[in-house]
Amino acid sequence: MKILAIDTSCDETAAAVSDGNILLSNTLSSSMEFQNEWGGVVPIIARKNHINRIDGVVKRALKLANIQKKQVDLIAVTYGPGLAIALEVGIKKAKELASELNIPILGVNHMAGHIYANFGRKKSGVTFSGLNENDIFPLITLLISGGHTELVFMKSHCDFEIIGRTLDDSVGEAFDKIARMLRWGYPGGPIVERFAKEGDENSFKFPVAMAQSGDLNFSFSGLKTAVFREIQTRGSIIQLKNNMSDDEITKHNEKYADEPYAPSISKKPIFELSKKDSINIAASFQKAAADQLILKALAAIKKYKVKNFLLGGGVVNNLYIKKKLRKVLKKEGVELFYPKNKKLLTDNAGMISIAAYYKTLKGGYSDISKLDRKPNLDLGFEEI
Ligand code: KG4
Ligand code: ZN
């Protein structure tokens, strides 16, 4: 079954083609460079770029897969979670294609995509993550992206139970905010990781939140505040955040209040720190963030008695977190899997085509007239 998938949930305009769970192409056009100066994704810019780029990206996905449009059997599209006005563009295009080709359409949950990236296969037949599908359940996936931090338990395919989630910021968001405070640009994760390598992770004792919560939930806003306090204490004010008036800032924040990924503009001043303090703060922050993830991962595997642990989302790019987690899981006899393909970690449509394939095995397609964007879609809510 040839699946053409589209994802426009955030700032990447992405399309991919798979044959079942074998990935044939996975391409995207990112509007990151436009978003950079804002320190986050601005929905209206993302939408405009999706509209301009979607046709070209779909064409490229087909060309790279070396198939004709008419050979496609199913259109898959992300219908949530994500930015409402961005999701809309992909859904509209997907519906146009399904109608034109007279083939079914299937709405896919973006977070299911991040999980199923692990099940994608290369043309040789092996999975990108190295997992063996025959003996993988029950399993837990830790989803760590810019919008989400969740622990998901699965007894079988497409059976998702969220067993833990962040009560405030996601871990990716925390990395992005720390980078913004340190004036390192956006996205923050890769830059914080790079500078953290040069710093001493024991120089600041940032709190590992939720250690005593007795559940599997996360929290990163206390850590962010602790980091900000340290920056405030050690740095000197160099300028206010931007030239917008208080009124303009409030209007901007109100306009995007309901958008899960939109940046709220801060009125906080910008501080300048010494290089030494900056890298030490980055390293100590990363340690505290990783320790919280590991603590909850351990609690989850003990409670649910799983032998397989999967990772999904952009923060999986972080080598420090992966290394630490692998070591701890190994001691418990639990195997760690994640896609060994960078494109399948950050937002992409390849993971959507793979998730769509597994969803078809459960039966049914979406009703084209009812399929609609669901910006706050949860895993498990699959009624479309
Ligand atoms: O999954 P993703 O591409 O998009 C969402 O669905 O949100 O994740 C993006 C997030 C950003 O917050 C980015 O800072 C983070 O992943 N990220 C990292 C690293 N690379 C990307 N965080 C920590 N370390 C990294 N190396
Ligand atoms: Zn994502």
Side-chain angles (χ1 to χ4, degrees):
M1 172 190 266
K2 302 273 194 307
I3 306 170
L4 170 62
I6 293 174
D7 183 294
T8 60
S9 57
C10 198
D11 59 341
E12 263 97 23
T13 314
V17 176
S18 71
D19 187 358
N21 60 0
I22 296 173
L23 204 54
L24 301 181
S25 69
N26 190 13
T27 183
L28 57 79
S29 166
S30 173
S31 59
M32 192 97 85
E33 68 268 32
F34 294 98
Q35 317 276 358
N36 235 326
E37 59 185 285
W38 287 88
V41 178
V42 182
I44 201 97
I45 300 179
R47 175 185 168 82
K48 206 173 118 223
N49 283 310
H50 289 322
I51 292 171
N52 291 338
R53 297 168 181 197
I54 186 92
D55 284 335
V57 172
V58 166
K59 227 185 217 169
R60 195 161 70 226
L62 289 165
K63 191 166 177 225
L64 290 171
N66 202 16
I67 69 160
Q68 310 271 319
K69 200 154 70 171
K70 58 177 186 293
Q71 289 173 272
V72 175
D73 302 300
L74 172 69
I75 305 290
V77 63
T78 301
Y79 72 110
L83 295 170
I85 60 171
L87 286 165
E88 213 169 68
V89 181
I91 295 172
K92 183 166 174 267
K93 184 76 210 164
K95 286 186 176 184
E96 273 170 27
L97 284 164
S99 304
E100 177 195 334
L101 300 168
N102 196 23
I103 54 175
I105 189 167
L106 186 58
V108 174
N109 184 313
H110 179 84
M111 300 316 290
H114 278 303
I115 297 177
Y116 272 99
N118 285 287
F119 289 80
R121 289 180 186 276
K122 301 176 190 179
K123 283 178 198 156
S124 64
V126 295
T127 55
F128 284 96
S129 65
L131 66 76
N132 177 359
E133 217 179 312
N134 295 330
D135 194 20
I136 193 80
F137 294 109
L139 61 82
I140 287 175
T141 305
L142 173 62
L143 290 170
I144 38 179
S145 71
H148 292 77
T149 303
E150 282 167 1
L151 279 162
V152 185
F153 175 64
M154 289 171 74
K155 274 186 277 201
S156 60
H157 278 301
C158 300
D159 174 9
F160 309 106
E161 185 190 342
I162 298 179
I163 54 173
R165 66 186 341 151
T166 181
L167 304 178
D168 39 58
D169 291 349
S170 73
V171 60
E173 212 174 334
F175 269 91
D176 292 336
K177 285 180 178 168
I178 274 33
R180 225 190 297 178
M181 289 179 203
L182 294 168
R183 302 187 300 129
W184 287 341
Y186 170 84
I191 313 163
V192 171
E193 183 183 13
R194 200 176 81 221
F195 284 123
K197 264 191 223 140
E198 300 171 27
D200 171 7
E201 64 178 33
N202 296 312
S203 47
F204 298 98
K205 294 267 169 295
F206 292 131
V208 177
M210 306 293 283
Q212 310 298 334
S213 69
D215 56 26
L216 299 172
N217 292 329
F218 303 86
S219 167
F220 290 96
S221 78
L223 173 57
K224 181 190 70 191
T225 307
V227 170
F228 185 65
R229 268 203 218 107
E230 207 56 65
I231 291 175
Q232 234 172 350
T233 313
R234 301 188 158 256
S236 47
I237 295 186
I238 52 164
Q239 64 171 81
L240 286 174
K241 178 89 195 153
N242 52 53
N243 299 326
M244 289 165 93
S245 69
D246 276 7
D247 232 26
E248 284 172 315
I249 291 176
T250 309
K251 257 192 213 144
H252 173 97
N253 289 347
E254 277 172 6
K255 189 169 169 194
Y256 295 119
D258 293 333
E259 299 282 6
Y261 292 84
S264 57
I265 291 179
S266 166
K267 293 179 198 173
K268 285 181 189 145
I270 291 179
F271 291 88
E272 187 160 61
L273 280 182
S274 68
K275 168 100 191 272
K276 183 166 171 247
D277 279 344
S278 300
I279 57 176
N280 285 343
I281 284 177
S284 307
F285 156 78
Q286 183 173 254
K287 176 177 189 279
D291 285 350
Q292 190 185 154
L293 295 174
I294 288 163
L295 193 99
K296 297 294 173 158
L298 265 180
I301 58 163
K302 284 186 178 152
K303 183 167 177 194
Y304 287 83
K305 298 182 176 48
V306 298
K307 288 280 163 232
N308 297 306
F309 197 89
L310 277 50
L311 294 174
V315 184
V316 185
N317 278 303
N318 188 296
L319 290 174
Y320 175 88
I321 294 176
K322 275 187 306 220
K323 202 169 150 195
K324 228 172 169 178
L325 190 58
R326 185 185 293 109
K327 202 167 149 196
V328 170
L329 293 181
K330 203 173 167 193
K331 265 197 202 143
E332 303 294 323
V334 173
E335 215 174 331
L336 180 67
F337 299 98
Y338 53 88
K340 314 277 186 314
N341 174 316
K342 272 186 171 247
K343 271 193 187 169
L344 279 170
L345 284 178
T346 39
D347 287 349
N348 68 94
M351 66 185 197
I352 301 303
S353 66
I354 296 155
Y357 166 73
Y358 286 95
K359 204 170 168 183
T360 61
L361 298 183
K362 288 251 158 172
Y365 299 115
S366 303
D367 179 337
I368 192 163
S369 63
K370 289 197 186 129
L371 182 61
D372 198 6
R373 62 186 194 180
K374 292 215 167 18
N376 298 308
L377 182 70
D378 244 355
L379 267 171
F381 180 78
E382 293 295 322
E383 183 198 315
I384 35 168

